[in-house]
Structures are given as C-alpha cells and as structure tokens.
Amino acid sequence: LGDVYKRQIMGIAALSLLIILERTFYLFRKDINPERFADPLLGHAARHEWDKCISLCEQEGEKPVPRVLLAGVKNRDMGREELENVLQEAILNEIPNLERFLSTLGMLAAISPLLGLLGTVTGMINTFHVITYYGTGDPRMMSAGISEALVTTMLGLSVAIPVMLCHTLLSRKVENMIAQMEKKAVAFVNTLFKAREEV
C-alpha cells in the first residue's frame, strides 16, 4: 500500500507543478504596469480624447486593467452610479480567469500531507501485523517497516510545503491585480466626472 500512496503523492506533485507553471505564465502575460498604462489614458479622458483612449486600451486588449477601463470608456455617457456598476461588472468578469485553478492548487496542497499520513498509518498497521506474526525478536524487521511507513509522510509534506507556498504567492498576485483594476476604475470615474464639471 505504501507504494500506492507514494505514486498518488507524486501524481499530485506533477499536477501541482503543471498548474503552477500554467498560472505563472498566464498571470505574467496578463500583468501590466498599471501606472504606466493608466496615467496617459486618464490624461486623454480628462481632455475628452476618446479615440486615443480606445486605441490605447485595444493595444493591450488581452489584459484585465485595459479591458476594464475600455468598458468604462465605452459607457462614458452614463451617470456615476451606472458607470461604477459597469466597471464593477467588468472587474467581476475578469476575476474567474485570474483565479482559475487556484482553489484546485490549494486542495492539492491540503490532500498531499493527508495522503502521506494515511500511508504512514497503513504502514504502521502492517508493521504491527508483522510483530503479531513474528514477535519482536528481530528489530531490523520492525525498523524497516516503520521507516517505510514514515517515508510517505515525509514525501507528502515535501510536496505540500512548496505547493502551499506557490499557492500563497499566486493568490497574492491575483489579489494585487484585482486591487489594481478597482483602483484604476475609481480613478477613471473620478477623472471623467471632474472633467465634466470643468466643461
């Protein structure tokens, strides 16, 4: 049974690695320097240069912050509350793609040490069966069984710790991206309505 648990833990490790690589690559591609992008756009919005705003957003069209602000630009004639709702909806549309697979990664990090522990418990049960049949006359027979049992826990923890660390870092990155979308959406609304008041 120990080998079965080891294979399962290694399978979790391989799946976790695939998810980590995919999420890292995805978030790296979707990331943008929000200040460098938003400052020129807000400048164009303040001057009512909407064509420049749209072309600026479309240049970075696959990234969340530009997509959210593009929704704002397209609905610029709405009232403040309606525009805020449109921007909030645009942000909510982006979140599932950013958070994809992160809950799975967290679940794999939690399962891995539990599988290791299960492997250890079944290994210890087998060791006690050996003691029942052969007695305690040969300590090497017992120590081999106990050592084999504990290896699965070590393996489970060795997989869980780095996966949990990566999950935390990726989650923090996603939270940061969501915060940037919200921040720039608020800045856009404030800039737009300030410019309206000045006209």
Side-chain angles (χ1 to χ4, degrees):
L1 271 176
D3 286 341
V4 172
Y5 294 123
K6 283 181 201 169
R7 280 198 296 273
Q8 287 174 345
I9 291 168
M10 293 315 293
I12 285 173
L15 183 57
S16 299
L17 182 62
L18 281 174
I19 292 173
I20 289 163
L21 290 173
E22 188 274 337
R23 285 290 87 194
T24 303
F25 181 68
Y26 179 85
L27 293 175
F28 178 76
R29 270 195 320 121
K30 296 291 178 184
D31 200 14
I32 193 170
N33 184 324
E35 310 304 330
R36 196 181 297 166
F37 170 78
D39 289 350
L41 184 132
L42 295 176
H44 293 316
R47 294 187 294 274
H48 299 281
E49 296 169 348
W50 301 117
D51 289 341
K52 288 182 180 176
C53 288
I54 290 168
S55 74
L56 200 62
C57 289
E58 285 176 347
Q59 281 170 19
E60 303 285 354
E62 290 305 305
K63 296 176 179 177
V65 172
R67 274 207 293 242
V68 168
L69 292 179
L70 182 61
V73 171
K74 286 180 176 175
N75 295 281
R76 60 187 177 272
D77 297 326
M78 289 181 166
R80 179 181 277 268
E81 196 173 323
E82 290 87 350
L83 184 59
E84 284 173 353
N85 287 339
V86 164
L87 287 165
Q88 191 60 40
E89 187 182 342
I91 292 167
L92 291 173
N93 285 336
E94 296 295 333
I95 290 173
N97 289 331
L98 295 175
E99 291 183 340
R100 195 166 162 233
F101 297 135
L102 286 184
S103 58
T104 307
L105 196 62
M107 183 187 68
L108 292 174
I111 286 173
S112 178
L114 293 176
L115 269 176
L117 191 60
L118 188 59
T120 295
V121 169
T122 53
M124 293 301 285
I125 290 168
N126 291 338
T127 302
F128 285 121
H129 280 310
V130 169
I131 293 169
T132 304
Y133 285 118
Y134 302 106
T136 54
D138 188 356
R140 282 180 303 175
M141 194 181 288
M142 287 193 314
S143 63
I146 292 166
S147 167
E148 181 69 25
L150 292 173
V151 164
T152 54
T153 293
M154 184 200 72
L155 197 61
L157 290 171
S158 300
V159 169
I161 292 166
V163 170
M164 210 169 275
L165 177 66
C166 290
H167 176 260
T168 303
L169 292 173
L170 289 169
S171 297
R172 188 71 53 81
K173 178 69 178 167
V174 168
E175 284 166 18
N176 185 42
M177 289 173 81
I178 293 167
Q180 289 295 349
M181 285 190 283
E182 290 172 346
K183 184 181 169 187
K184 295 307 167 193
V186 170
F188 175 78
V189 171
N190 291 339
T191 302
L192 180 64
F193 282 88
K194 189 179 174 188
R196 277 190 197 174
E197 286 165 12
E198 288 170 358
V199 170

